[in-house]
Amino acid sequence: MTDERASAPDAEGAALTPPEPSASELLSAALGNAARKAGMDPSSQATTGHVVWAAMGGWRGIAESVLPSLAFILAFTLWTGDSMQKLIPALIISVGLAVVFTVLRLIARSTPTAAIGGLMAAVVAAALALFTQNASNNFVPGLITNAAYGVALLVSALIGWSLIGLAAGYLMGEGTAWRQSKRKRRVFFWLAIAWAALFFLRLAVQFPVYLTSLQPGNESSAVALLGTLKLVMGLPLFAPMVAVTWLTVRALYRRTDAVTGSDSPAPTPSAD
C-alpha cells in the first residue's frame, strides 16, 4: 500500500509533464518566428505594402542589401590596374560598408541580426575571392545560398512538409494541423514551389555567367554582369514574392475556423 501511494505522485507528475516538441514543431516555430521578425505575419492587420516594406527592412535594409554589392561592382569596374589591383580596393570598400551598417545597428540598439549576417557573408565572400585571386568568386556564396534555399523549399514541397506551411501554421496557431486540409496542403505546396523556382531562376541565370568569368580575359566583364544580375534579381523579385505569399496565406485563413484548419467557409453576414 505504501508503494502504491508513493508511486501515485510520480505518475501524476509524469502526466502533467508536457511532451517534448517534435522536430517539425521546432522547425515550424523557428520559421514562424523568423517570418514574424521580418514583418510577414498573416494574422496581422497590416497592409500589403507595409508587409513588403518590413520584409525588405525599410530604407536601412535596402541600403544594407544593395550598397555593398553596388560599391563592389563600381570599384572593381572603375579602378585601374590588373585584376588583383582592382579586387583589393573593391573588397575593402564593400566589406567596409557592411561594417559601417553593423556598427550603426549596434549604436541604434536595433536588431543587428540582418546586418551581422550581411557582414559575415561579405567577409566570407571577400576571403574566398582573395584566396583564389578571382573576383568572380566573391559571388560564389550567393550562388550556394540560392541553390541551398531552392533545394530545401523544393524537397519540403515534394515530401508534403512545405516550409511555407510550417511557418504559416505556427503563426496562425495551428501548428502542423494544416496538413490535414487538402486545400492548405495544395496552396502551401505551390507557394514552396514558387519560392524554389525564384532561387533556381537566379542560379540558372547567374551560374553560366560565373563560368564564363573563369575563362581568360572574361573576368572583368563577367564580374560586372554578375553584380548587376545579383542586384536586379534580388529585391525586385523578392518583394513581389513576399506580397503574393502574404496575400495568399491571409486569404487561405480568412475563415472563422482558421485555428481548427477546417475548409468550411465563413458564414455570410446577414443583410441586417
Side-chain angles (χ1 to χ4, degrees), residues 38-227:
M40 298 171 60
D41 188 347
S43 64
S44 69
Q45 300 301 315
T47 63
T48 304
H50 177 80
V51 169
V52 174
W53 188 249
M56 293 191 299
W59 288 114
R60 178 177 290 180
I62 294 174
E64 293 171 350
S65 175
V66 172
L67 290 184
S69 296
L70 180 60
F72 176 84
I73 299 168
L74 293 177
F76 187 83
T77 303
L78 300 177
W79 211 274
T80 58
D82 59 26
S83 178
M84 284 302 296
Q85 289 174 331
K86 297 194 296 183
L87 176 60
I88 292 176
L91 291 177
I92 291 175
I93 295 173
S94 177
V95 175
L97 281 173
V99 171
V100 169
F101 287 132
T102 303
V103 171
L104 290 176
R105 287 271 187 180
L106 294 174
I107 293 175
R109 295 184 179 180
S110 59
T111 305
T113 305
I116 292 176
L119 175 59
M120 293 178 61
V123 170
V124 170
L128 183 60
L130 284 175
F131 180 76
T132 60
Q133 297 186 3
N134 189 328
S136 61
N137 285 334
N138 186 60
F139 300 97
V140 167
L143 296 175
I144 295 175
T145 299
N146 281 312
Y149 285 169
V151 169
L153 284 158
L154 177 61
V155 171
S156 74
L158 294 178
I159 65 176
W161 288 87
S162 167
L163 295 178
I164 308 298
L166 289 173
Y170 176 81
L171 291 172
M172 300 307 296
E174 69 167 356
T176 59
W178 56 270
R179 299 188 71 250
Q180 306 304 317
S181 165
K182 291 183 179 179
R183 184 170 186 266
K184 289 177 181 177
R185 287 205 316 270
R186 183 170 61 250
V187 170
F188 290 139
F189 169 85
W190 287 113
L191 283 176
I193 292 294
W195 275 101
L198 169 62
F199 291 114
F200 286 138
L201 175 63
R202 290 175 178 173
L203 194 64
V205 173
Q206 296 173 23
F207 186 66
V209 179
Y210 167 75
L211 292 180
T212 64
S213 71
L214 303 179
Q215 302 173 3
N218 292 339
E219 183 180 357
S220 295
S221 59
V223 166
L225 181 55
L226 267 175

